[in-house]
Amino acid sequence: MKIAAIDIGSNAARMQISSVLHDKKKISFKKVEYVRFALRLGMDVFNSGKISYESEARIKKLLMAYRLLMELHEVDAYMICATSAMREAENGSNIVERIKNELGMEIHLIDGEKEAELINNVIIAVLENDKTYLHIDVGGGSTELNIYKGRTKIAAKSFKIGSVRLLEHKEAPDVWRKMKAWVNETIPVHEKVIAVGTGGNISKLFNMIESKPNGMASLEELERKRNYIDQFTLEERINLLQLNADRADVIVPASDIYISVMKWAEADEIIVPDLGLKDGILLLVYETLLNEEN
């Protein structure tokens, strides 16, 4: 069986096609295809409040390309989810309707809570029962914060701040204060907290750090690498550091969110599992197929 997940974010759209593997009663997903394209919908929405005609045309072209790849791989089922930019766009629902009518592909506009829930479903597998975790997921338009005691989520909150929104200076003036207050009020007092980071920017930053004892990066190392990247121009980040153009401009503002939240929580270490929304969508697709069979 092959399944696919499409995540249309504020910065980029991603598609992953995976084979479903069965080992006794345990299932896992093996990646067979992964495609990422920088749609940059947040640039439209956070400035004008809607998705431009040109961007809508690019969404349709990209989905047609994704559909062809799914046909070639003989995918059994898939799901498309769109997050912050498309759900906030004045014309987001109209575009979703037009795409369904023209391409026969349904896009699910999910809110921050649903986004966090889907990621939660795959993140819990990497958590240990006797520790406290602060999960930080920074997208282009929003940041999801989740607090876990072991594998149990005890609190969650979505904030309208993200890498593209920061880059365009479109975040609400008091969002930093509200986010800090929530972290300070919600983290258990005198509790040692380990940060868990998901999202393309933290994954890239994490991979650029050479020394990671026990698979963790320190807050100090994160700051050092963030400051190292910040000293380069955009062109130098692309040519010397070999960052993708749509990563080069947002990695520093995204890093500022991860670092700030970790400082507020007094978390001096972070783990960065190779998991995200697309993995949560894949799990949901599989579970939906399973329920239909039963």
Side-chain angles (χ1 to χ4, degrees), residues 262-282:
M262 286 179 69
K263 285 181 175 178
W264 299 332
E266 298 182 3
D268 53 17
E269 291 180 308
I270 188 169
I271 57 174
V272 182
D274 186 22
L275 296 168
L277 178 59
K278 59 180 173 49
D279 302 279
I281 299 171
L282 283 171

Side-chain angles (χ1 to χ4, degrees), residues 16-216:
Q16 181 166 317
I17 299 173
S18 292
S19 293
V20 180
L21 305 180
H22 297 268
D23 179 15
K24 297 178 182 176
K25 290 186 177 181
K26 184 181 177 183
I27 66 107
S28 60
F29 305 127
K30 183 179 187 299
K31 179 168 63 179
V32 296
E33 188 78 69
Y34 175 77
V35 185
R36 178 183 182 276
F37 183 80
L39 278 174
R40 282 291 167 103
L41 299 183
M43 293 290 195
D44 286 349
V45 178
F46 305 144
N47 283 297
S48 68
K50 59 185 180 180
I51 295 169
S52 67
Y53 173 80
E54 292 78 13
S55 292
E56 180 180 346
R58 286 161 67 224
I59 296 170
K60 290 174 182 175
K61 284 182 182 178
L62 184 62
L63 288 178
M64 285 191 286
Y66 283 171
R67 184 169 63 187
L68 284 173
L69 274 173
M70 288 192 288
E71 288 175 4
L72 285 168
H73 280 283
E74 298 180 344
V75 165
D76 295 279
Y78 71 92
M79 178 179 281
I80 309 170
C81 291
T83 55
S84 185
M86 191 172 277
R87 72 175 173 244
E88 288 182 34
E90 294 171 12
N91 56 346
S93 297
N94 292 334
I95 290 173
V96 167
E97 189 175 345
R98 283 196 289 271
I99 286 172
K100 187 173 183 179
N101 292 335
E102 294 173 26
L103 304 182
M105 302 177 81
E106 184 175 2
I107 298 174
H108 300 267
L109 295 177
I110 60 171
D111 59 22
E113 288 184 9
K114 184 64 177 179
E115 186 176 350
E117 178 192 325
L118 290 172
I119 300 172
N120 166 77
N121 292 338
V122 290
I123 284 292
I124 55 172
V126 303
L127 306 183
E128 296 179 25
N129 285 324
D130 58 345
K131 295 177 180 176
T132 301
Y133 297 92
L134 172 58
H135 173 218
I136 311 164
D137 182 75
V138 178
S142 65
T143 293
E144 322 304 329
L145 301 182
N146 306 282
I147 298 171
Y148 296 85
K149 290 281 288 183
R151 293 180 175 177
T152 303
K153 186 191 288 188
I154 60 171
K157 186 77 173 176
S158 179
F159 296 89
K160 282 189 177 182
I161 184 171
S163 58
V164 178
R165 207 186 287 269
L166 274 180
L167 188 68
E168 296 294 297
H169 304 290
K170 297 298 178 182
E171 75 279 10
D174 61 344
V175 69
W176 286 103
R177 179 186 61 78
K178 287 181 177 178
M179 192 158 53
K180 181 179 181 180
W182 185 85
V183 170
N184 290 339
E185 291 165 7
T186 315
I187 294 282
V189 180
H190 306 308
E191 194 93 40
K192 177 174 170 53
V193 177
I194 298 169
V196 181
T198 54
N201 288 296
I202 193 63
S203 294
K204 186 64 182 178
L205 197 68
F206 187 77
N207 289 334
M208 291 174 74
I209 294 171
E210 293 79 17
S211 176
K212 295 187 282 282
N214 303 317
M216 294 185 179

